[in-house]
């Protein structure tokens, strides 16, 4: 039987999740779905005055419980704690640590964005030596051209009425882009940075503040991948550029980017990291394509009608400029 997100609306799933929660923290007084989307469900839980979040991802992204559990001993200060986890079913229970940075306000604060990307990079540094032990799909820079060529051919070959199809004109432009993509891969690969965790959805609504001057804590790792580290800035820079109404040479965006690049400045000179950042941001689009591909695999026809174009749409953004810096001409 094909899996469907409709399972999250059934009494059978509610009973299964309730048993998981009760075994971990006791009988809840509040147990209700907060979000049910094709890629994940999140439930609000309260037990004895304490608040928790219970989550399960779709089969294509069913790595989060295992991943967050593995990150606990590696970087406990940078991720939300795990109260209970069942990696086999990707059931995850985490405590409520307060409102997110987005809910607190201040998204337009450059200093806050610098803190977010710096602490995310410090999480990457901690995870890098353990990357082979983390349940993450890897997308190394040297695989980028093959990945894009395959995605173009696969999505362009779909039926004309398939919402996932890549239009012919975009396919032709992407095929012509492949030599340039290869040069981006070479530039990023020459930095010789390690593969590490890429949150792949790094923004203020996926971060909670630690007490006082403690590090920020990150959550919602369903989209996470293993990539070179610099591309993890793509979503944060896209959002901050929009919030700040900032162009690719805006010094505020460069300051945000530098906050993360400095974490890697013992691996490569800052001038080399800055020079390669635009290419790394382009390659980071592949991680978004892949995470959407994983989600769409098990969507219903109705859900694909709404979200099915996402991989092709992200593939098309390779034709756009990066949010920070400029790409060298061929």
């Amino acid at each position: 039987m094909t899996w469907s997100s409709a399972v999250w609306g059934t009494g059978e799933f509610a009973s299964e999740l309730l048993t998981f929660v009760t075994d971990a923290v006791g009988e809840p007084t509040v147990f209700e779905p907060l979000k049910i989307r094709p890629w994940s469900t999140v439930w609000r839980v309260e037990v004895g005055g304490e608040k928790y979040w219970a989550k399960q991802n779709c089969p294509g992204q069913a790595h989060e419980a295992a991943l967050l559990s593995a990150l606990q001993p590696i970087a406990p200060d940078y991720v939300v704690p795990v109260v209970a986890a069942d990696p086999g079913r990707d059931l995850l229970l985490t405590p409520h640590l307060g409102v997110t940075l987005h809910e607190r306000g201040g998204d337009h604060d450059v200093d806050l964005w610098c803190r977010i990307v710096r602490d995310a990079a410090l999480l990457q540094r901690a995870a890098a030596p353990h990357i082979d032990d983390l349940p993450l799909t890897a997308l190394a820079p040297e695989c980028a051209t093959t990945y894009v060529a395959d995605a173009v051919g696969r999505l362009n070959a779909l039926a004309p009425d398939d919402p996932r199809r890549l239009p012919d004109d975009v396919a032709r432009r992407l095929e012509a882009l492949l030599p340039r993509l290869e040069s981006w891969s070479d530039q990023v690969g020459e930095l010789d940075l390690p593969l590490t965790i890429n949150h792949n959805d790094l923004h203020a609504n996926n971060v909670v503040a630690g007490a006082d001057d403690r590090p920020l804590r990150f959550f919602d790792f369903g989209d996470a991948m293993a990539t070179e580290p610099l591309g993890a800035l793509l979503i944060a820079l896209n959002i901050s550029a929009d919030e700040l109404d900032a162009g690719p040479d805006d010094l505020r965006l460069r300051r945000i980017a530098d906050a993360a690049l400095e974490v890697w400045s013992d691996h490569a000179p800052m001038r080399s990291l800055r020079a390669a950042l635009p290419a790394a941001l382009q390659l980071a689009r592949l991680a978004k394509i892949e995470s959407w591909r994983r989600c769409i695999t098990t969507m219903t026809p109705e859900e694909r009608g709404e979200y099915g174009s996402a991989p092709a749409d992200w593939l098309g953004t390779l034709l756009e400029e990066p949010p920070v810096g400029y790409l060298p001409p061929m």
Side-chain angles (χ1 to χ4, degrees):
M1 180 181 295
T2 301
W3 183 90
S4 166
S5 57
V7 71
W8 289 325
T10 65
E12 290 82 358
F13 175 76
S15 177
E16 178 185 16
L17 185 63
L18 179 60
T19 299
F20 167 72
V21 168
T22 302
D23 287 348
V25 293
E27 190 76 26
T29 53
V30 175
F31 179 71
E32 58 187 10
L34 178 67
K35 298 177 182 178
I36 295 181
R37 299 168 295 187
W39 47 87
S40 68
T41 185
V42 178
W43 291 53
R44 181 188 290 112
V45 176
E46 292 187 20
V47 180
E50 297 295 326
K51 298 180 180 179
Y52 305 90
W53 305 109
K55 184 179 183 184
Q56 186 181 59
N57 293 282
C58 68
Q61 307 230 107
H63 60 250
E64 188 170 8
L67 174 61
L68 198 54
S69 297
L71 289 172
Q72 295 298 307
I74 294 171
D77 292 337
Y78 292 95
V79 294
V80 296
V82 172
V83 175
D86 183 336
R89 294 180 292 171
D90 193 42
L91 294 178
L92 179 65
L93 186 67
T94 57
H96 176 69
L97 299 182
V99 298
T100 66
L101 294 186
H102 174 73
E103 291 166 332
R104 285 176 51 177
D107 284 10
H108 297 267
D109 187 329
V110 173
D111 289 336
L112 180 59
W113 277 112
C114 288
R115 188 181 178 197
I116 291 172
V117 301
R118 182 197 67 231
D119 282 9
L122 290 170
L123 169 60
Q124 289 182 307
R125 285 299 300 257
H130 308 275
I131 195 63
D132 290 339
D133 300 322
L134 298 180
L136 292 169
T137 301
L139 279 177
E142 61 268 23
C143 300
T145 305
T146 300
Y147 182 92
V148 171
D150 175 72
V152 169
R154 177 167 41 83
L155 295 177
N156 184 237
L158 295 172
D161 60 347
D162 193 314
R164 299 169 296 171
R165 188 176 188 275
L166 183 71
D168 292 339
D169 60 327
V170 180
R172 287 192 294 269
R173 293 176 65 195
L174 287 170
E175 287 170 350
L177 184 73
L178 292 178
R180 197 176 187 199
L181 181 66
E182 187 74 18
S183 72
W184 300 339
S185 300
D186 290 344
Q187 184 179 19
V188 175
E190 285 170 2
L191 294 175
D192 199 27
L193 297 176
L195 293 187
T196 188
I197 188 170
N198 177 347
H199 184 285
N200 208 19
D201 200 18
L202 185 60
H203 55 72
N205 222 17
N206 286 331
V207 190
V208 291
D212 302 322
D213 60 348
R214 291 178 63 81
L216 299 176
R217 290 180 181 265
F218 300 90
F219 63 95
D220 194 6
F221 287 91
D223 290 337
M225 309 279 291
T227 71
E228 62 77 35
L230 307 189
L233 288 166
L234 176 64
I235 301 302
L237 291 173
N238 274 345
I239 295 174
S240 56
D242 184 62
E243 289 177 352
L244 299 168
D245 192 24
D249 56 356
D250 193 294
L251 293 180
R252 294 170 296 176
L253 293 185
R254 292 184 179 274
R255 182 178 152 209
I256 293 169
D258 276 358
L261 300 187
E262 286 168 358
V263 174
W264 296 98
S265 60
D266 61 328
H267 279 254
M270 280 293 289
R271 64 178 181 276
S272 300
L273 295 171
R274 290 176 180 135
L277 178 61
L281 294 173
Q282 296 300 88
L283 299 187
R285 302 179 191 277
L286 276 58
K288 296 302 296 183
I289 297 166
E290 179 63 14
S291 63
W292 272 111
R293 184 200 65 78
R294 298 188 306 206
C295 293
I296 287 169
T297 299
T298 49
M299 286 185 184
T300 65
E302 293 76 18
E303 291 166 345
R304 285 184 179 180
E306 184 173 359
Y307 301 106
S309 68
D313 292 342
W314 270 103
L315 197 55
T317 66
L318 283 165
L319 300 167
E320 300 175 4
E321 293 298 315
V324 170
Y326 298 93
L327 296 163
M330 285 294 291

